[in-house]
Amino acid sequence: MSKTLPPAGDTATGTGPHLQTLRGRLSRALPSLGSLQSYIGLLLVVAVGIVTKGQIFWNQDNLTNAVTAFASRGILAVGVTLVILTAGIDLSVGSVLGIGSMTAAMLLVHHGLSPWAIVPLCALVGAFFGFLNGIGTTWLRIQSFVMTLAMLSVVRGIDRQMSDNVAVGVQLVDPHGHLTPKAAAFAALGTPGHTLVAGIGYPVIAFVAVCVAAQLLLSRTRFGRHVYAVGGNPTAARLSGANVNLVIIAVFTLCGLLAGFAGPIDAAYSASADPLAGTSYELDAIAAAVIGGTSLAGGKGTITGTAVGALILTLLDNILGLNAISDNMQMIIKGLIVVVAVVLQRPGFLKPLTEPLRRLRARA
């Protein structure tokens, strides 16, 4: 009697064709996990929120309030992403947001300007300091880390000097105890309880608009291609016709402009401008960019990824707060998440996991 021979896969590896197919799929899928880290992280954070707090976490009011609270830092993250894509870094964005916040409060309280004038003026103030960062990095050839660290101190000092170390409230009231018309209009920029469309406030709308505009700038314009080229290989970018210094100055200026633009939002949300407003915001902004997949080496990353990274930090803050986790533990957890995100970005990090699968597949 003749015996039925096992399939070829069984002869070689002791396994069936279905398992070989699974191995093949896993070996192809694992390398792509690094590029999907931000989306996987977002799903995990949402799952943790639902499991631990259920409807308290997963409802429109809570999610809208969480994103509103983080919107100003999300806008900073978009600007920082532009700088990181050119292989630079900007540590001054928190201070620039702070001076934008103080400028907004003073223009409202001391000069009676409307928000329509305050917002662009604050953006110009931020753009000025961003431009100086670009000049220092290119013409003076100061490393961006050092240049922006110095600017962080300079801008914070100016902020404290012009405010005399005193917070400026933005909720001006008339003799009847009601907000003045301009103060009420300013409150619409971010004060909790003020919305513009379908229960969504200005900070969320501004954050989304900034993300869309920046993503289009990077993906649909020649300037965007130059940003990636400068970050990937500045020498090759220069030889291909890109003005490297101009691109770097432009991204620092845009980063400062966005920080200044976020200043009035922060002042409205806090109902005052504090001389220390924006302290350590630069860390959240950089963390959002890194978690979103932007490479600190430059040349790799997207605004969409940064938006997802900002959303992860937003929801993480919210979940930790709902679970009464202390501020100290929150800082530790966020720091560890950034470390994990950077490690996952390392080229070939997942190779030890995929290599055995590849060998088994080749042997089959």
Side-chain angles (χ1 to χ4, degrees):
M1 294 179 64
S2 63
K3 293 184 179 179
T4 302
L5 294 175
D10 288 356
T11 303
T13 65
T15 60
H18 296 295
L19 190 54
Q20 293 173 21
T21 303
L22 179 61
R23 285 172 178 164
R25 290 176 178 174
L26 283 174
S27 64
R28 289 191 296 270
L30 280 175
S32 66
L33 290 181
S35 61
L36 298 175
Q37 58 173 351
S38 57
Y39 300 97
I40 296 172
L42 180 59
L43 292 176
L44 290 175
V45 169
V46 171
V48 170
I50 294 175
V51 169
T52 58
K53 283 299 175 183
Q55 285 300 315
I56 298 176
F57 165 75
W58 192 250
N59 67 79
Q60 182 180 348
D61 290 339
N62 177 61
L63 296 177
T64 302
N65 291 336
V67 177
T68 299
F70 200 85
S72 58
R73 281 170 284 178
I75 293 172
L76 294 187
V78 173
V80 168
T81 300
L82 297 176
V83 174
I84 294 177
L85 285 175
T86 62
I89 195 74
D90 191 342
L91 301 177
S92 67
V93 288
S95 293
V96 176
L97 177 144
I99 203 167
S101 174
M102 185 59 69
T103 301
M106 288 187 165
L107 290 175
L108 174 69
V109 175
H110 300 316
H111 301 281
L113 295 185
S114 71
W116 295 106
I118 290 174
V119 171
L121 287 174
C122 291
L124 288 177
V125 170
F128 171 72
F129 290 111
F131 176 75
L132 294 182
N133 279 333
I135 293 296
T137 303
T138 54
W139 293 358
L140 300 182
R141 299 186 178 181
I142 302 173
Q143 289 183 341
S144 60
F145 179 89
V146 178
M147 181 66 210
T148 57
L149 185 62
M151 187 61 72
L152 178 154
S153 178
V154 169
V155 175
R156 183 65 67 190
I158 295 174
D159 190 353
R160 298 178 65 164
Q161 184 69 26
M162 65 189 282
S163 65
D164 200 18
N165 286 325
V166 176
V168 179
V170 297
Q171 293 195 322
L172 305 177
V173 296
D174 60 21
H176 303 289
H178 301 121
L179 287 178
T180 63
K182 289 180 179 176
F186 190 84
L189 295 180
T191 302
H194 292 74
T195 60
L196 293 182
V197 180
I200 301 175
Y202 170 79
V204 178
I205 296 173
F207 174 54
V208 173
V210 166
C211 288
V212 172
Q215 182 61 41
L216 291 176
L217 178 70
L218 287 176
S219 61
R220 301 294 179 87
T221 67
R222 185 179 180 183
F223 173 76
R225 293 192 292 274
H226 284 176
V227 169
Y228 283 105
V230 169
N233 188 328
T235 301
R238 185 178 291 107
L239 293 176
S240 65
N243 189 327
V244 175
N245 285 349
L246 185 60
V247 170
I248 293 175
I249 291 173
V251 295
F252 273 107
T253 303
L254 286 173
C255 185
L257 183 145
L258 291 176
F261 174 74
I265 296 175
D266 187 77
Y269 183 81
S270 305
S272 68
D274 190 280
L276 297 178
T279 301
S280 80
Y281 278 17
E282 59 275 0
L283 301 181
D284 282 338
I286 294 171
V290 171
I291 292 172
T294 302
S295 171
L296 291 172
K300 177 186 175 185
T302 64
I303 298 300
T304 305
T306 296
V308 174
L311 197 54
I312 289 175
L313 291 178
T314 300
L315 299 181
L316 189 63
D317 277 348
N318 183 251
I319 293 169
L320 295 176
L322 290 175
N323 285 282
I325 304 296
S326 68
D327 291 344
N328 296 336
M329 283 302 300
Q330 291 188 30
M331 294 173 66
I332 293 172
I333 292 172
K334 287 196 289 187
L336 292 176
I337 288 176
V338 172
V339 171
V340 172
V342 172
V343 171
L344 288 175
Q345 288 181 11
R346 186 180 303 158
F349 173 74
L350 294 173
K351 189 174 181 180
L353 298 177
T354 60
E355 190 62 22
L357 294 172
R358 191 190 65 77
R359 289 176 181 170
L360 288 173
R361 188 183 175 199
R363 196 181 306 167

